[in-house]
Amino acid sequence: MIKIVKTELKTGKDIFIFLLFAMVFLSTYLVMERDQTILYIFLALFLVYSFISLLVSRKSGAEIMGWIGIIKSRDYTSLFLAVPQAVLIFGVVMVLYNDMYGIISLTAGFVLMFIGMGFNIMVRMELGKNWVPLSKTTDHQELITWGIYSKVRHPFYLSILILFLGVAVISWDLLGLVFFILFILGLVFRIKKEEKELIFKFGQQYTDYMDKTPMLIPTVFK
């Protein structure tokens, strides 16, 4: 009962913060001298996605950890992912702000972003309380090998990869390509570190799972 109350309080806090950001977001849009609708749609997508994904994970009982907690845990793989992500988003903001985008790359990028975000929320729902924001395991974590996880070992990271591929496509420049490659390298490094933890926790059960399930790209033909 106490745990449910705490979750509801945290959810209420999340909603309040989201509404506050949404109000600031809307007010800044209304005072813009130039039409920046596409830029604000891009930013609004991330705002809504961040809120929904947080809500889904919190409702499922997953551990939610801010950057202070991540830094204290010394999980530097999170930084290896966050830095390229931040640069990619900033690059798109500048491209959209200066109207330097192409309609084909813009459309393709938004489609990939929608797919990645929707897929990520589906994975969070399937993981439930087993979602962990670190490249580590928890005491009560279960090994999920069914559903989406029967097709690929890391659908969560695949969804993020699709999402930021969309971001990189919108910018469609050398800087975006470089930082997307850095993001992929950081992602693979994190996966390798996480799998060492999973092997330590689940042993033969996880190595057998690795043998029959691809890491990121599902096998179409068998």
Side-chain angles (χ1 to χ4, degrees):
M1 182 65 181
I2 295 176
K3 186 176 181 179
I4 294 175
V5 172
K6 286 183 177 179
T7 301
E8 292 299 324
L9 288 173
K10 290 177 180 178
T11 300
K13 181 181 176 182
D14 294 337
I15 294 173
F16 174 76
I17 293 174
F18 170 75
L19 292 175
L20 183 62
F21 269 100
M23 290 175 60
V24 173
F25 191 76
L26 180 60
S27 63
T28 57
Y29 173 71
L30 294 175
V31 299
M32 291 291 290
E33 295 181 359
R34 293 170 50 207
D35 183 12
Q36 294 290 347
T37 301
I38 296 177
L39 170 59
Y40 273 76
I41 290 174
F42 173 78
L43 295 174
L45 274 175
F46 271 97
L47 179 62
V48 173
Y49 158 71
S50 298
F51 171 70
I52 294 176
S53 59
L54 176 64
L55 201 63
V56 167
S57 293
R58 196 181 293 285
K59 285 285 188 179
S60 300
E63 179 184 3
I64 306 298
M65 185 178 296
W67 275 106
I68 294 177
I70 291 174
I71 292 172
K72 285 182 178 179
S73 69
R74 298 180 180 179
D75 184 15
Y76 301 116
T77 61
S78 297
L79 292 175
F80 295 158
L81 297 181
V83 172
Q85 287 176 352
V87 174
L88 286 168
I89 292 173
F90 178 75
V92 170
V93 168
M94 296 307 297
V95 165
L96 296 179
Y97 181 79
N98 293 295
D99 296 327
M100 297 170 61
Y101 56 87
I103 189 64
I104 295 177
S105 60
L106 181 71
T107 304
F110 270 109
V111 169
L112 287 167
M113 284 176 58
F114 271 115
I115 293 172
M117 289 175 177
F119 186 27
N120 183 264
I121 291 170
M122 286 176 56
V123 174
R124 286 175 184 265
M125 292 174 67
E126 187 149 316
L127 269 178
K129 65 180 180 179
N130 295 295
W131 179 74
V132 181
L134 305 172
S135 58
K136 299 179 180 179
T137 58
T138 61
D139 293 338
H140 305 291
Q141 187 174 354
E142 301 171 315
L143 179 60
I144 307 298
T145 59
W146 55 86
I148 300 172
Y149 280 80
S150 66
K151 306 298 182 182
V152 60
R153 298 201 303 273
H154 299 281
F156 185 90
Y157 295 133
L158 176 59
S159 68
I160 299 298
L161 187 64
I162 296 171
L163 194 168
F164 278 91
L165 173 60
V167 175
V169 166
I170 293 174
S171 64
W172 201 253
D173 58 11
L174 181 60
L175 182 67
L177 176 61
V178 169
F179 276 91
F180 183 67
I181 292 172
L182 290 175
F183 171 68
I184 293 175
L185 294 175
L187 196 65
V188 172
F189 179 76
R190 181 182 174 99
I191 288 173
K192 294 295 185 181
K193 184 176 184 298
E194 185 175 306
E195 290 199 323
K196 288 181 180 179
E197 297 281 339
L198 289 166
I199 291 172
F200 181 78
K201 182 175 178 63
F202 297 107
Q204 187 66 39
Q205 185 182 3
Y206 192 79
T207 54
D208 290 344
Y209 174 59
M210 290 176 68
D211 289 338
K212 65 182 181 180
T213 313
M215 178 190 290
L216 282 174
I217 309 301
T219 302
V220 178
F221 301 104
K222 291 187 178 180

